[in-house]
Amino acid sequence: MNATAPIHVVVWGENRHEKINAAVQKIYPDGMHETIAAGVRSLLGDSATVATHVLDEPEHGLSEEVLASTDVLLWWGHIAHDDVDDVVVERIHRHVLEGMGILVLHSGHHSKIFRRLMGTTCSLRWRNDGDRELVWTVAPRHPITDGIPQPLIVPGQEMYGEFFDIPEPDELVFISSFSGGEVFRSGVTYSRGFGRVFYFSPGDEAYPVYHDRGIQRVLANGIRWARPTLPRESYLVTPNYAREDFDRPRRWNGAGFEDWTTGEPIPAE
Amino acid sequence: MNATAPIHVVVWGENRHEKINAAVQKIYPDGMHETIAAGVRSLLGDSATVATHVLDEPEHGLSEEVLASTDVLLWWGHIAHDDVDDVVVERIHRHVLEGMGILVLHSGHHSKIFRRLMGTTCSLRWRNDGDRELVWTVAPRHPITDGIPQPLIVPGQEMYGEFFDIPEPDELVFISSFSGGEVFRSGVTYSRGFGRVFYFSPGDEAYPVYHDRGIQRVLANGIRWARPTLPRESYLVTPNYAREDFDRPRRWNGAGFEDWTTGEPIPAE
Amino acid sequence: MNATAPIHVVVWGENRHEKINAAVQKIYPDGMHETIAAGVRSLLGDSATVATHVLDEPEHGLSEEVLASTDVLLWWGHIAHDDVDDVVVERIHRHVLEGMGILVLHSGHHSKIFRRLMGTTCSLRWRNDGDRELVWTVAPRHPITDGIPQPLIVPGQEMYGEFFDIPEPDELVFISSFSGGEVFRSGVTYSRGFGRVFYFSPGDEAYPVYHDRGIQRVLANGIRWARPTLPRESYLVTPNYAREDFDRPRRWNGAGFEDWTTGEPIPAE
Amino acid sequence: MNATAPIHVVVWGENRHEKINAAVQKIYPDGMHETIAAGVRSLLGDSATVATHVLDEPEHGLSEEVLASTDVLLWWGHIAHDDVDDVVVERIHRHVLEGMGILVLHSGHHSKIFRRLMGTTCSLRWRNDGDRELVWTVAPRHPITDGIPQPLIVPGQEMYGEFFDIPEPDELVFISSFSGGEVFRSGVTYSRGFGRVFYFSPGDEAYPVYHDRGIQRVLANGIRWARPTLPRESYLVTPNYAREDFDRPRRWNGAGFEDWTTGEPIPAE
């Protein structure tokens, strides 16, 4: 868990467009998740391990075991949000709240996991028209912007525009404009429980966005930023404390209080 | 919907402690929800209508019809969060995102609706020990603090302490201290979708907190602050726009685009 | 000071371009400040009094007496920031911290008073090229956005772009895009001391921006939002309190403590 | 400037109490700045160089040369804020906006540099009465909280209480309570220009606070957090850009535009 250990990254891809859409296959012959994974792998080098999983695996490839050893999860989905099992969504949610980082990409704004983390509709304006997107940095010394040009130019991309129905971000990192004149909060961060969340909007399946070095660099920076620095920690149950006993949380076991950590009974005061 | 029309308030109470706990019955003989309702009614006067509903009514008293005509909902629950029907939770959530205000009180921090709106565990430290709670204003010109003493003194109250696992608030209005030395972000606001959310922590069933004029005044101020100023508006589905046609969102109907509002077909460009 | 009393508004104009630049004279024959004042006056009606003052008056028209009776000050300056007397800047700053609202317009981003309130350079990217500016609402139920179209279209305007060196806003209300592709946080709010601050960027002297009804409406909304609801209150000197004497702050007078409010000596404990 | 180079830290002390107050001399025989410096030096080891400077040096020890090579400045002052030369304050301010980190300690809340950075009075409630202060973490995974106990107990300390007149913090890291029942936002962070600011309140001269390992650790964490990762960068003058020439800012030299970086004349378009 120390800062020099490799970051364990999982890139999750819906991988449906790639099976049915020749145009997408041409751009992403190995699947979008593999292009994303290769991009961040080449930038993070030995500092990270990068695995991929897809929707059609059992448990979508995201078993308890896989998530427990994942530091940062990248999520790309678009047309099959409803096919993601609620049990798996619940599991991812729990791991984020316990410390796992998550990067939600593009159309993942409408994924079950992002909506669960945000508590809002996460809806937005859109138009798929090959707009040029300019990604402007508004937080110049944020680690996610390290080495990113001002602006980062995406030659063609689906338009996502405001109003974007998300909670007020902890940090607004990027704002995009589009040829049509729309604007979008395209890079936003949140803390949720003990985990860090970064949403980054460029990346429609119909454009070669994830082949772009600048985009890859945003993702690599985001992974470094979102990595946990401490082991998972659960806070689902509320700890009880005796007066001025700041160090020994207690749990009610039906008959009396027991030590939160050891389970040892605590005599009534 | 104009600012001079009465605010339609619903105070929702779990109303379980009141049935089984003589000490609570003594403090709140008509149920906690009735005391809360009477308090805000006396402060808001003609500017509001204040109704009450409880868990044991059909649909917990919160039918689509009731919620559709509610401007601000107050929520108090503690021991029966799991008995609240997920369908009703979903309905309340939708109404908040469409513009209904909500005040979540005390142990409502662990309610399904608050967790859904926040996306976190909403857990906290606690101790029920009759601590004196001092509620300090940290946003002195916020409308919710209007007329509230610095500090507001609650002679006896359950301790709720940090870490409180909530998203970074939009506005931090109150911070409390307790006799035992703990602190708590006891008044926090959020915007979620088109609705406003205010969480206020004083108010355990074992203490006569809601009989206090200062506490009632916080609630009345909160109701005024959270009231919607525009009709409900849904943003569940993402609107599509043609280039530079800023005023006419479109919806895909399977065969082509139709006007978002009128349903009229829009010819391909 | 109650919510139904008229809001006392002062529109302050630098009024220099208007004296030397025929093009500006043509757009604003009575001076920009008069056009701004007429616009908000027509929208606020009896709910406000709207006076104007300019740089070349004694004390720039902003004597202690004038400021003491001003609820909300609008500030427009561009080429003569350095001609504003530091004493007057200090006075305005004090009044804002004590509760006066302030709306800083366009090139006022580089005014002494805005820099003083922000603590940063308040610099930005610019280009004066007749760009179309689209002002997008990103906080749809904020009172400043009431009745503002999505987007508000400004046919021609100077480009102001990111990075805009301001502190993280309390609320991000508007984001603009420009024909050239730049983006700008064009409407931001802050609380400073007991006063409210709204910066709104459209409004270069070379374009008839302040004749636009939508722009006027943003300013009128901003005035309503920034108005103080309580009398001025100074917090320059730090109040001292005895233990658990929450209601009686004390001041050290050299020989002992005296009551903060009455000046009555307080005996040593 | 890379992340493995040593951090150049300067601890600045007013060093006046130490000359005139025997009680303070006893606690801090070498001056408070030396105790603070020794504490962070022992925690940061080879990863930092830690120098000290005091008020009574020429230019208060903070020449342009010293500041230009300082990564993070720690500021402790109390009774002599007015003796700090405005020219030096201006210089520190500029360096922070260009990227230098700053940690403002305890009574530094009323220093000229902190007020300049904040734009508010920075006043607060106080009482010097030997209260026990409990410093609670409210942002558990923030790097400044790494290894800090929950709560950090300061056995005796001056009380600083709310309302604390500061801008809404970017991040609220610590909240303190005091024996007398007051609360205080005791650890807050800000971004200002390209620099990072951390205010941390424990540390009155009359108590041995800076000998405490936990307090030292907060400061060492704060230094790591506030260190710049890029060279100083000035943004005092606003860059001008031609349309869609995103990479070449221009400067007006009176006769025409020249390249911002090279000074080369740019022909009119």
Side-chain angles (χ1 to χ4, degrees):
Chain A
M1 198 85 279
N2 66 66
T4 57
I7 313 170
H8 296 297
V9 178
V10 167
V11 177
W12 189 90
E14 190 180 271
N15 199 34
R16 287 277 170 89
H17 293 288
E18 295 93 324
K19 293 180 175 172
I20 57 178
N21 185 325
V24 177
Q25 282 165 352
K26 199 171 164 193
I27 304 173
Y28 296 110
D30 301 318
M32 300 182 72
H33 51 287
E34 292 299 344
T35 299
I36 293 169
V40 299
R41 201 178 281 129
S42 76
L43 282 163
L44 294 171
D46 290 343
S47 72
T49 68
V50 183
T52 60
H53 290 288
V54 297
L55 179 61
D56 288 335
E57 294 175 55
E59 301 184 69
H60 316 315
L62 301 174
S63 64
E64 175 61 28
E65 195 184 359
V66 166
L67 288 180
S69 63
T70 300
D71 291 318
V72 183
L73 176 67
L74 278 69
W75 188 271
W76 197 99
H78 203 167
I79 47 171
H81 295 316
D82 285 347
D83 293 356
V84 179
D85 190 336
D86 286 339
V87 171
V88 176
V89 173
E90 197 63 35
R91 189 186 294 156
I92 301 169
H93 189 214
R94 177 168 47 80
H95 277 281
V96 172
L97 298 186
E98 293 181 11
M100 183 178 74
I102 187 166
L103 273 58
V104 176
L105 306 180
H106 187 61
S107 42
H109 74 92
H110 255 179
S111 63
K112 289 179 177 178
I113 181 59
F114 191 58
R115 285 178 155 176
R116 173 67 63 93
L117 284 163
M118 296 294 104
T120 58
T121 66
C122 302
S123 292
L124 44 77
R125 221 173 235 254
W126 64 279
R127 179 184 65 248
N128 205 336
D129 217 14
D131 285 53
R132 179 193 67 176
E133 176 174 359
L134 300 177
V135 184
W136 294 91
T137 291
V138 296
R141 299 289 173 117
H142 194 286
I144 289 179
T145 70
D146 185 39
I148 306 304
Q150 177 78 314
L152 174 59
I153 301 173
V154 182
Q157 165 66 353
E158 186 181 19
M159 185 283 289
Y160 274 12
E162 297 284 345
F163 172 59
F164 183 22
D165 179 20
I166 48 172
E168 182 72 14
D170 290 359
E171 301 167 309
L172 177 60
V173 180
F174 298 117
I175 297 174
S176 289
S177 72
F178 295 83
S179 313
E182 292 88 352
V183 298
F184 194 65
R185 288 171 289 171
S186 49
V188 292
T189 76
Y190 296 91
S191 174
R192 284 291 178 269
F194 301 129
R196 289 179 161 193
V197 180
F198 174 50
Y199 173 77
F200 185 60
S201 65
D204 188 66
E205 72 280 358
Y207 308 87
V209 174
Y210 294 116
H211 290 282
D212 181 276
R213 201 60 172 167
I215 296 290
Q216 291 169 0
R217 186 155 184 144
V218 170
L219 302 184
N221 289 344
I223 288 166
R224 283 195 204 95
W225 171 84
R227 80 171 305 181
T229 54
L230 292 168
R232 293 285 201 282
E233 182 181 341
S234 175
Y235 205 68
L236 278 169
V237 182
T238 57
N240 177 281
Y241 285 80
R243 181 177 288 252
E244 305 208 6
D245 186 358
F246 299 127
D247 300 324
R248 197 189 192 189
R250 308 177 305 173
R251 190 192 312 272
W252 182 256
N253 64 17
F257 283 108
E258 59 185 31
D259 185 285
W260 183 276
T261 316
T262 64
E264 182 188 347
I266 297 177
E269 285 155 75
Chain B
M1 198 84 281
N2 67 64
T4 58
I7 314 170
H8 296 296
V9 179
V10 167
V11 178
W12 188 89
E14 189 180 271
N15 199 34
R16 288 278 169 89
H17 294 287
E18 295 93 324
K19 294 180 173 171
I20 57 177
N21 184 326
V24 177
Q25 281 165 352
K26 199 171 164 192
I27 304 172
Y28 296 110
D30 300 319
M32 299 182 72
H33 51 286
E34 291 300 344
T35 300
I36 294 170
V40 299
R41 201 179 281 127
S42 75
L43 282 163
L44 295 171
D46 290 344
S47 71
T49 68
V50 183
T52 60
H53 291 287
V54 297
L55 180 61
D56 288 334
E57 294 176 55
E59 302 185 68
H60 316 316
L62 301 174
S63 64
E64 176 60 30
E65 195 184 358
V66 166
L67 288 180
S69 62
T70 301
D71 292 318
V72 183
L73 176 66
L74 278 68
W75 188 272
W76 197 99
H78 203 168
I79 47 171
H81 295 317
D82 285 347
D83 294 356
V84 179
D85 190 335
D86 286 339
V87 170
V88 176
V89 173
E90 196 64 35
R91 188 186 293 155
I92 302 169
H93 189 213
R94 176 168 48 79
H95 277 281
V96 172
L97 298 186
E98 293 180 10
M100 182 178 73
I102 187 167
L103 272 58
V104 177
L105 306 180
H106 187 61
S107 42
H109 74 91
H110 254 180
S111 63
K112 288 179 177 178
I113 181 59
F114 191 57
R115 286 178 155 176
R116 173 66 64 94
L117 284 162
M118 298 292 106
T120 58
T121 66
C122 302
S123 292
L124 44 76
R125 221 173 236 253
W126 65 281
R127 179 185 64 248
N128 205 336
D129 217 13
D131 285 53
R132 180 192 68 177
E133 176 174 358
L134 300 177
V135 184
W136 295 91
T137 291
V138 296
R141 298 289 173 117
H142 194 287
I144 290 179
T145 70
D146 184 39
I148 307 304
Q150 178 77 314
L152 175 58
I153 301 173
V154 183
Q157 165 66 354
E158 186 181 19
M159 185 282 289
Y160 274 12
E162 297 284 344
F163 172 60
F164 183 21
D165 180 19
I166 48 172
E168 183 70 16
D170 290 0
E171 301 167 309
L172 177 59
V173 179
F174 298 118
I175 297 175
S176 290
S177 72
F178 295 84
S179 312
E182 292 87 352
V183 299
F184 194 65
R185 288 171 288 170
S186 49
V188 292
T189 76
Y190 295 92
S191 173
R192 285 293 177 269
F194 301 129
R196 289 179 161 193
V197 181
F198 174 49
Y199 173 78
F200 185 59
S201 66
D204 189 66
E205 72 279 357
Y207 308 88
V209 173
Y210 294 116
H211 290 282
D212 181 275
R213 201 59 172 169
I215 295 291
Q216 291 170 0
R217 186 156 183 144
V218 171
L219 301 184
N221 289 344
I223 288 165
R224 284 194 204 96
W225 171 85
R227 81 171 303 179
T229 54
L230 292 167
R232 293 283 200 283
E233 182 181 341
S234 176
Y235 205 67
L236 277 169
V237 182
T238 58
N240 177 282
Y241 285 81
R243 182 177 287 254
E244 306 208 5
D245 186 358
F246 299 126
D247 300 325
R248 196 187 192 192
R250 309 178 304 172
R251 191 191 312 271
W252 183 256
N253 64 16
F257 283 107
E258 59 185 32
D259 185 285
W260 183 275
T261 316
T262 63
E264 182 189 349
I266 297 177
E269 285 156 74
Chain C
M1 197 87 278
N2 67 63
T4 59
I7 313 171
H8 296 296
V9 178
V10 168
V11 178
W12 188 89
E14 190 180 86
N15 199 35
R16 286 277 170 89
H17 293 288
E18 295 93 324
K19 294 180 174 173
I20 57 177
N21 184 325
V24 177
Q25 282 165 352
K26 198 170 165 192
I27 304 172
Y28 296 110
D30 301 318
M32 300 181 71
H33 51 288
E34 292 299 344
T35 299
I36 294 170
V40 299
R41 202 178 281 130
S42 76
L43 282 163
L44 295 172
D46 290 343
S47 72
T49 69
V50 183
T52 61
H53 290 288
V54 297
L55 180 62
D56 289 335
E57 293 176 55
E59 302 185 68
H60 316 317
L62 300 174
S63 64
E64 175 61 30
E65 196 184 357
V66 166
L67 288 180
S69 62
T70 300
D71 291 319
V72 182
L73 176 66
L74 278 68
W75 188 271
W76 196 99
H78 202 170
I79 48 170
H81 295 316
D82 286 345
D83 294 355
V84 179
D85 190 337
D86 287 339
V87 170
V88 176
V89 174
E90 196 64 35
R91 190 185 293 155
I92 301 169
H93 188 212
R94 176 167 48 80
H95 277 281
V96 172
L97 298 187
E98 293 180 10
M100 183 178 74
I102 187 166
L103 272 58
V104 177
L105 307 180
H106 187 61
S107 41
H109 75 91
H110 254 180
S111 62
K112 288 179 177 178
I113 181 60
F114 192 57
R115 285 178 157 177
R116 173 66 64 91
L117 284 163
M118 297 292 105
T120 58
T121 66
C122 301
S123 291
L124 45 75
R125 225 171 232 253
W126 64 279
R127 179 185 64 248
N128 205 335
D129 218 15
D131 285 54
R132 180 191 67 177
E133 176 174 358
L134 300 177
V135 184
W136 295 90
T137 292
V138 296
R141 298 289 173 118
H142 194 287
I144 290 180
T145 70
D146 184 39
I148 308 303
Q150 178 78 313
L152 174 59
I153 301 173
V154 183
Q157 165 66 353
E158 186 181 17
M159 184 282 290
Y160 274 11
E162 297 286 344
F163 170 62
F164 184 20
D165 180 19
I166 47 172
E168 182 72 16
D170 290 359
E171 301 167 309
L172 178 59
V173 179
F174 298 118
I175 296 174
S176 288
S177 72
F178 295 85
S179 312
E182 293 87 353
V183 298
F184 194 65
R185 288 170 290 171
S186 50
V188 291
T189 77
Y190 296 92
S191 173
R192 286 292 178 269
F194 300 129
R196 288 179 161 193
V197 181
F198 174 49
Y199 173 77
F200 184 59
S201 66
D204 188 66
E205 72 279 357
Y207 308 88
V209 174
Y210 294 117
H211 291 282
D212 181 275
R213 202 60 174 167
I215 296 289
Q216 291 170 0
R217 187 156 183 143
V218 171
L219 301 184
N221 289 344
I223 288 166
R224 283 195 205 95
W225 171 84
R227 80 170 307 180
T229 54
L230 292 168
R232 295 282 200 285
E233 181 180 345
S234 176
Y235 206 66
L236 277 169
V237 182
T238 56
N240 176 281
Y241 285 80
R243 181 179 287 253
E244 305 208 5
D245 186 358
F246 298 127
D247 300 325
R248 197 188 192 191
R250 308 177 305 172
R251 190 191 311 272
W252 183 254
N253 64 17
F257 282 108
E258 58 185 32
D259 186 285
W260 182 275
T261 315
T262 64
E264 182 189 348
I266 297 177
E269 285 154 75
Chain D
M1 198 86 277
N2 67 63
T4 59
I7 312 171
H8 297 297
V9 179
V10 168
V11 177
W12 189 90
E14 190 181 87
N15 199 34
R16 287 277 170 88
H17 294 287
E18 295 92 325
K19 293 180 174 173
I20 57 177
N21 185 326
V24 177
Q25 281 165 354
K26 198 171 162 192
I27 304 173
Y28 295 111
D30 302 318
M32 300 181 71
H33 50 287
E34 291 301 342
T35 299
I36 293 170
V40 298
R41 201 179 281 129
S42 76
L43 282 162
L44 294 172
D46 291 343
S47 72
T49 69
V50 183
T52 61
H53 290 288
V54 297
L55 180 61
D56 288 336
E57 293 176 55
E59 301 185 68
H60 315 317
L62 301 174
S63 64
E64 175 61 28
E65 197 184 356
V66 166
L67 289 179
S69 63
T70 300
D71 291 319
V72 183
L73 176 67
L74 278 68
W75 188 272
W76 196 100
H78 203 169
I79 48 171
H81 294 316
D82 285 346
D83 294 356
V84 180
D85 189 337
D86 286 340
V87 171
V88 176
V89 174
E90 197 63 36
R91 189 185 294 155
I92 301 169
H93 188 211
R94 176 168 47 79
H95 277 281
V96 172
L97 298 186
E98 293 180 12
M100 184 178 73
I102 187 166
L103 272 58
V104 177
L105 307 180
H106 187 61
S107 41
H109 74 92
H110 254 180
S111 62
K112 289 179 177 179
I113 181 60
F114 191 57
R115 285 178 156 177
R116 174 65 64 92
L117 285 162
M118 298 293 104
T120 58
T121 66
C122 301
S123 291
L124 44 76
R125 220 173 235 253
W126 65 280
R127 179 184 64 248
N128 205 336
D129 218 13
D131 285 54
R132 180 192 68 176
E133 176 173 358
L134 300 176
V135 184
W136 295 91
T137 291
V138 296
R141 298 290 173 116
H142 194 286
I144 290 180
T145 70
D146 184 38
I148 307 304
Q150 178 77 313
L152 174 59
I153 302 173
V154 183
Q157 165 66 354
E158 186 181 17
M159 184 283 288
Y160 274 13
E162 297 286 344
F163 171 61
F164 183 22
D165 179 19
I166 47 172
E168 182 72 14
D170 290 0
E171 301 167 309
L172 178 60
V173 180
F174 298 117
I175 297 174
S176 289
S177 72
F178 294 85
S179 312
E182 292 88 352
V183 299
F184 193 65
R185 288 170 289 171
S186 49
V188 291
T189 77
Y190 296 93
S191 173
R192 285 292 177 269
F194 300 129
R196 289 179 162 192
V197 181
F198 174 49
Y199 173 77
F200 184 60
S201 66
D204 188 65
E205 71 279 357
Y207 308 87
V209 173
Y210 294 117
H211 291 283
D212 181 276
R213 202 59 174 169
I215 296 290
Q216 292 170 1
R217 188 156 183 144
V218 170
L219 301 184
N221 289 344
I223 289 166
R224 283 194 205 95
W225 172 84
R227 81 170 306 179
T229 53
L230 292 168
R232 294 282 200 284
E233 183 181 341
S234 176
Y235 206 66
L236 278 170
V237 183
T238 56
N240 176 281
Y241 285 79
R243 182 178 286 254
E244 305 208 5
D245 186 357
F246 298 126
D247 300 324
R248 197 188 192 190
R250 309 177 305 172
R251 190 191 311 272
W252 183 254
N253 64 17
F257 283 107
E258 59 185 31
D259 186 284
W260 182 276
T261 315
T262 64
E264 182 189 348
I266 297 177
E269 285 154 75

